[in-house]
Amino acid sequence: MKIATKFIHAGAEPDPSTGAIMTPIYQTSTYVQEAPGKNKGYEYARSQNPTRKALEDAYAVIENAKYGLAFGSGVAATDAVMKLLNPGDEVIAANDMYGGSYRLFTKVWERYGIKFTYIDTTDTENVQTAVTPNTKLIWLETPTNPLMNISDIAAIAVIAKAANALLCVDNTFASPYLQNPLDQGADIIMHSATKYLGGHSDVIQGALMMNDAELREKLYFIQKSCGAVPGPMDCFLVLRGIKTLHVRMKQHCENGEKIAHWLRKHPKVGKVYWPGFEDNAGYAVAKKQMRGFGGMISFVLKDDTVETATKVLSSTHLFSLAESLGGVESLINHPASMTHASIPREERIKNGLVDGLIRLSVGIEDADDLIEDLSQAIG
Ligand SMILES: *Cc1c(COP(=O)(O)O)cnc(C)c1O
């Protein structure tokens, strides 16, 4: 089945009690049983909920996975993956990744005896070198937030397998429309469904997808035991979002391409980060593992000062200054003080995330209007 058909029909079965075409929002905490233990497979809503079940089925379909699990947020999904580990286990993670993941790893999980090694995963050899007998998990983000670095999922999956470690890919930036990491050999996919999957900036949610039944059981046990489950209304919103993911992504990609090229030609703009430039170091790998390049773009001004960046950040009208990404409306963000403020400055700068970096989440408005808005803001 092709993507457009898959995304619209994913997890959607007419409601058995009424035939409702849209999955009802089962706003209930518990289910009545006929006799103790005699029930319809639903006992208590932390463990099971029909709206969540429909969404989890959809999560599996959109990532070509066997199983999907929904969590209260992207970081809750990441947290669940960390709970697979034991004290003394080691994790290899990208040195350029979402600030919230970095904060969760360094401020929470290090305290529980998990050791993290941060490396540049764009060079596959670095990953091989970092592997130790204690490596149990490789945490990958590609393209990365916000520098759009590309790592080779298939090549790193081979290293993970040989090391007997799990490979988990944060696929938030690409979305399943552009990239399917399980097909490339990853063991787990993590999504902040808050972003492209929801797509309308109205819900916080996370997802995990996997093929291995035993792994699914372990993660389901963590999901119900630790309880970071999303409510049924939020599940409904993401289910609805997924139905238009392909049309939204098509437009995000088209607008992203136009704006990335326009920025690159602008006399006041310095480096532009977008995975679709043919002269990018990661272009060949991106071309191999992605079906398009998306609407996330970062750039620095030639006059790279916080003051000049701040002027641009506060002068746009269509691009709203806000954290988050992946919604239908365009957003502009200052990673150093907003999304990535939890990463120490020296660490940030070392990895290329300079103080003046500006990140755009290009929405699906008319690209010419967006360019006009950026044009007046950059001056
Ligand atoms: C937003 C984001 C997360 C965290 O997800 P939440 O839904 O905000 O908890 C993780 N990874 C990436 C790449 C993100 O952009």
Side-chain angles (χ1 to χ4, degrees), residues 72-78 97-98 100-101 139 141 143-145 170-173 190-195 203-206 324-325 359:
S73 65
V75 292
T78 304
M97 63 173 167
Y98 174 65
S101 305
W139 186 270
E141 207 181 292
T144 57
N145 178 0
D170 181 340
N171 204 28
T172 302
F173 260 41
M190 191 288 270
H191 274 285
S192 168
T194 310
K195 318 293 168 53
V203 63
I204 294 280
Q205 194 172 133
S324 200
L325 60 107
R359 190 190 78 181

Side-chain angles (χ1 to χ4, degrees), residues 92 117 119 123-132 135 159:
I92 296 173
T117 310
I119 56 159
D123 183 347
T124 305
E125 261 181 47
N126 289 343
V127 182
Q128 184 62 64
T129 311
V131 169
T132 79
T135 304
I159 295 172

Side-chain angles (χ1 to χ4, degrees), residues 81-146:
V81 174
M82 291 302 139
K83 285 173 176 152
L84 293 168
L85 305 176
N86 293 307
D89 287 351
E90 295 180 11
V91 179
I92 296 173
N95 60 5
D96 161 39
M97 63 173 167
Y98 174 65
S101 305
Y102 182 83
R103 182 175 59 191
L104 177 65
F105 295 170
T106 52
K107 295 281 167 44
V108 178
W109 282 103
E110 268 182 23
R111 288 197 289 115
Y112 290 90
I114 308 290
K115 197 179 151 224
F116 294 87
T117 310
Y118 301 98
I119 56 159
D120 173 3
T121 55
T122 61
D123 183 347
T124 305
E125 261 181 47
N126 289 343
V127 182
Q128 184 62 64
T129 311
V131 169
T132 79
N134 295 328
T135 304
K136 290 289 156 32
L137 174 71
I138 299 177
W139 186 270
L140 210 59
E141 207 181 292
T142 180
T144 57
N145 178 0

Side-chain angles (χ1 to χ4, degrees), residues 234-253:
D234 286 357
C235 291
F236 174 86
L237 288 171
V238 180
L239 263 173
R240 185 163 74 165
I242 287 172
K243 287 182 191 292
T244 55
L245 180 61
H246 58 294
V247 276
R248 287 186 283 109
M249 285 309 297
K250 218 165 158 176
Q251 199 59 45
H252 283 300
C253 288

